[in-house]
Amino acid sequence: ISMNCSLPHRVLLSSPMEGQQDRLCLQPLWDFVTAKEPLIKSPFFPVLFSFTAYMAFCLPYVALDFLSIRLPDLRKYKIQPQTYPSLGMMVPCIIQSAYHHVVLIFPVTFLHWYWRPMDLPVTAPELPEVLLQVAACLLLFDFEYFLWHLLHHRVPWLYKTFHKVHHKHVSTFALTTQYSSVWELLSLGFFAAVNPLLLGCHPLTEMIFFLVNIGLSVEDHSGYDLPWSTHRLVPFGLYGGAPHHDLHHLKFKSNYAPYFTHWDKLFGTFTESHPN
């Protein structure tokens, strides 16, 4: 009994120091961000951050698309090796994404900036808090997207009117990630923006979640099953990844969740993918 009683006492004594260490771990990063406060608080920052992050995640896969045509050792990682995107397929995706960011995303983020100015706290969040909240945001987004996606496939009018454009390419490539209708872009953008607010996330946590979310989404559409792909790192088949979502674009009637597999398994819409 004395051992059990003393353990919480030690934990309580060490918690403030551990919390300070966790915070100090991210403080230099947060200091770097807040040093750019005029930019961060600018109404132009959200749209610049969004488009720059999206293109940064896409470019390695674009390079891989061009290289794997010429290098057989890379071709084995292509999920659908018989199809490759051409420059003529890529350019319209880039143009549409840039147009949507300027014409749609910027006005929305400007209104958000006007009504709810960003507050930058002095201290960084603790690392465990960041990890927990990013995971929670991802799980919540995964659930919201699953319901939205299922509904827009099961209701023919919704599919034809709003979601069909995203299925133009049966064999996906990174730049098709945001190739979608205005309604789809705004709906999913709303989910991604509101979840950190609902969970009371620190601005740094919000930024990290956005980067993780867009990175995973681009990976989903990349068309590649690489040795370090996320679904290979998450055990027990809990994460679908690129093979899971590629199969959705190929078959249309299964694998509606963007990241994790549990909702498709629970609703009977899961189809097993066959990674390379």
Side-chain angles (χ1 to χ4, degrees):
I1 295 174
S2 61
M3 290 177 62
N4 291 336
C5 290
S6 63
L7 180 58
H9 180 65
R10 288 198 301 271
V11 171
L12 285 171
L13 288 175
S14 62
S15 291
M17 182 61 70
E18 290 176 355
Q20 186 179 10
Q21 290 174 347
D22 291 332
R23 190 177 291 110
L24 288 174
C25 179
L26 294 175
Q27 193 62 47
L29 175 60
W30 184 235
D31 289 341
F32 174 80
V33 172
T34 53
K36 311 290 189 297
E37 186 171 351
L39 173 63
I40 302 297
K41 290 189 172 182
S42 163
F44 302 103
F45 175 74
V47 70
L48 290 172
F49 183 65
S50 173
F51 187 71
T52 302
Y54 175 61
M55 292 305 300
F57 281 116
C58 284
L59 284 175
Y61 292 109
V62 172
L64 197 56
D65 282 327
F66 287 115
L67 287 172
S68 58
I69 296 175
R70 297 166 178 80
L71 301 174
D73 287 342
L74 294 177
R75 202 174 304 154
K76 64 184 178 182
Y77 299 116
K78 190 82 166 63
I79 297 172
Q80 296 187 47
Q82 72 280 5
T83 59
Y84 281 88
S86 65
L87 192 61
M89 295 163 68
M90 293 180 181
V91 170
C93 294
I94 298 173
I95 292 173
Q96 192 210 56
S97 181
Y99 176 81
H100 280 170
H101 274 82
V102 173
V103 176
L104 297 171
I105 297 176
F106 175 67
V108 172
T109 56
F110 180 84
L111 291 174
H112 183 269
W113 168 84
Y114 180 79
W115 281 320
R116 187 180 177 271
M118 180 180 285
D119 179 40
L120 300 180
V122 176
T123 58
E126 295 180 6
L127 182 58
E129 174 190 322
V130 171
L131 296 176
L132 182 63
Q133 290 187 332
V134 168
C137 285
L138 282 174
L139 288 167
L140 188 55
F141 179 84
D142 191 70
F143 174 64
E144 294 160 341
Y145 188 103
F146 172 79
L147 292 180
W148 187 99
H149 203 185
L150 184 65
L151 183 66
H152 283 70
H153 271 267
R154 294 294 172 85
V155 180
W157 180 80
L158 290 176
Y159 178 80
K160 291 177 182 178
T161 308
F162 300 117
H163 189 51
K164 185 177 180 180
V165 62
H166 185 64
H167 279 275
K168 176 181 178 180
H169 300 281
V170 177
S171 178
T172 60
F173 51 96
L175 290 167
T176 62
T177 304
Q178 292 187 357
Y179 192 80
S180 57
S181 68
V182 172
W183 169 247
E184 180 165 352
L185 184 71
L186 292 178
S187 297
L188 303 185
F190 173 77
F191 296 150
V194 78
N195 290 345
L197 297 179
L198 292 175
L199 296 174
C201 294
H202 188 283
L204 181 60
T205 306
E206 190 175 348
M207 291 179 187
I208 293 171
F209 163 65
F210 178 83
L211 291 173
V212 171
N213 193 37
I214 192 62
L216 293 177
S217 187
V218 169
E219 183 192 57
D220 264 7
H221 293 83
S222 68
Y224 288 91
D225 181 9
L226 299 167
W228 54 83
S229 292
T230 307
H231 72 279
R232 294 184 178 276
L233 305 178
V234 178
F236 311 120
L238 297 174
Y239 192 91
H244 180 81
H245 195 69
D246 190 271
L247 195 58
H248 168 74
H249 277 262
L250 192 62
K251 302 288 186 180
F252 292 98
K253 296 183 178 180
S254 62
N255 298 357
Y256 296 109
Y259 306 140
F260 302 98
T261 58
H262 55 275
W263 292 116
D264 280 303
K265 290 176 179 177
L266 285 170
F267 279 77
T269 56
F270 177 76
T271 298
E272 185 71 43
S273 57
H274 300 284
N276 293 333

